[in-house]
Amino acid sequence: MSGIGAALLNSLDIGLLLFIIAVGLNIVFGVLNIINFAHGALYMLGAYLAFTLINIAGMPFWAALLLAPVGVAILAVVIDRVLLRFIYSRDVADSLLLTFAILLIINESVRMIWGSGIHVVQPPDLLSGSVRLLGSSVATYSLFVIVIGLLLLAGLWYLFNRTRVGRIMRAAALDRDMAEALCINTRLVVTGVFAFGAWLAAVGGVMAAPMRALDPGMGDKIIIESFIVVVIGGLGSFPGALFGAIILGLIHGFGGRYLPEVNLLLPFVGMALVLLFKPNGIMGKGANA
């Protein structure tokens, strides 16, 4: 039972962290109809900014958790205004190519600024150590990630279903022309949504920094996992992002413990099966945001 409990908690830890990252990718696609290949690079920037603020500037982790995502969101506004605004009305393949170019630019910029070596961020003293839960020893920081993931899940659900901002975003996703006819500033909505998606990616990066070594390729790894999440759950679907992230978390949590030889292969097998039998994802494509 202790092994199952540890695998379950590890699955929740991985799954909710993936949800924080992948839901931003899904929101951007659902509202803007672009596939943001640079999403993983924005996640990486969040982690590297946290490293700079904590290890170099000497700020506490909590300050980095607040400031780093804001910095990445500001960069996303610049990217939207300077580059992306020209391709929103074009084919989705154009957005894929442009954001892939942005990914390469950010990757090389990270190598130039921080180097190609590995960097490490320590968790805050308050969250160091471990506790006994479900018959096994669990890192306190892992429980913190689970709590933050659940809080963000609840906050996003409330945002999209109970606030005027959420209704505006959903209206822009369903029919941008009609939204403009209702005097909604869709240009501002588009920029805000892209910045919000980048903020979520950076939050995931800061949260992941004490758990994973930082290197210039970490964004490439996470964008692959994020795409697996949205393929399984459904591209553009908010509940699909949660479902896909939890499924992938379970695959990693239980597969890593009980099937370590094939654990790296299992997510791709799951994605292939979903593409074969449910091409739009298990939760479907229609549930924007």
Side-chain angles (χ1 to χ4, degrees):
M1 286 299 295
S2 62
I4 294 175
L8 180 60
L9 289 170
N10 190 36
S11 299
L12 282 174
D13 176 15
I14 296 170
L16 287 170
L17 180 61
L18 282 172
F19 167 74
I20 294 171
I21 302 161
V23 74
L25 183 69
N26 248 4
I27 290 170
V28 168
F29 177 81
V31 178
L32 311 185
N33 196 36
I34 69 167
I35 299 176
N36 182 18
F37 215 89
H39 196 72
L42 298 171
Y43 153 88
M44 176 179 64
L45 272 181
Y48 271 92
L49 285 178
F51 164 78
T52 301
L53 293 172
I54 296 169
N55 291 27
I56 298 177
M59 291 185 180
F61 172 82
W62 311 106
L65 183 58
L66 291 174
L67 295 177
V70 172
V72 174
I74 292 172
L75 174 63
V77 171
V78 175
I79 292 173
D80 173 79
R81 293 290 184 174
V82 174
L83 297 172
L84 291 180
R85 66 189 183 95
F86 296 107
I87 56 95
Y88 284 129
S89 60
R90 289 157 61 175
D91 188 78
V92 69
D94 292 342
S95 68
L96 185 61
L97 292 172
L98 178 57
T99 56
F100 181 69
I102 296 170
L103 163 70
L104 297 178
I105 292 170
I106 294 176
N107 281 355
E108 290 307 313
S109 299
V110 165
R111 287 189 176 90
M112 290 172 60
I113 297 171
W114 287 281
S116 300
I118 292 175
H119 301 288
V120 176
V121 174
Q122 297 296 330
D125 293 337
L126 181 64
L127 301 176
S128 60
S130 60
V131 295
R132 297 290 299 180
L133 191 64
L134 296 180
S136 60
S137 179
V138 183
T140 306
Y141 189 80
S142 294
L143 295 179
F144 169 72
V145 172
I146 292 172
V147 170
I148 294 298
L150 291 173
L151 289 175
L152 277 174
L153 168 63
L156 288 170
W157 179 88
Y158 184 83
L159 171 68
F160 289 119
N161 292 281
R162 292 289 185 268
T163 69
R164 183 173 182 271
V165 172
R167 288 192 291 271
I168 289 173
M169 292 169 64
R170 293 171 70 91
L174 292 172
D175 192 328
R176 199 171 299 176
D177 293 333
M178 181 62 70
E180 288 180 349
L182 294 173
C183 300
I184 293 173
N185 187 343
T186 57
R187 177 65 259 170
L188 181 62
V189 172
V190 165
T191 301
V193 167
F194 187 75
F196 184 52
W199 181 85
L200 286 168
V203 169
V206 177
M207 297 288 292
M211 304 167 63
R212 304 176 181 181
L214 277 61
D215 68 87
M218 64 184 297
D220 301 340
K221 303 183 188 81
I222 203 67
I223 193 63
I224 293 172
E225 293 198 321
S226 297
F227 273 121
I228 292 174
V229 166
V230 299
V231 166
I232 291 175
L235 191 59
S237 167
F238 171 67
L242 175 62
F243 183 82
I246 295 300
I247 290 296
L248 191 55
L250 289 170
I251 289 173
H252 281 310
F254 284 88
R257 179 171 290 269
Y258 297 108
L259 296 169
E261 299 85 0
V262 295
N263 184 45
L264 294 177
L265 183 64
L266 292 176
F268 299 102
V269 172
M271 181 176 68
L273 291 174
V274 170
L275 287 172
L276 281 173
F277 298 105
K278 193 78 171 176
N280 287 334
I282 293 175
M283 303 297 289
K285 185 181 176 182
N288 288 319

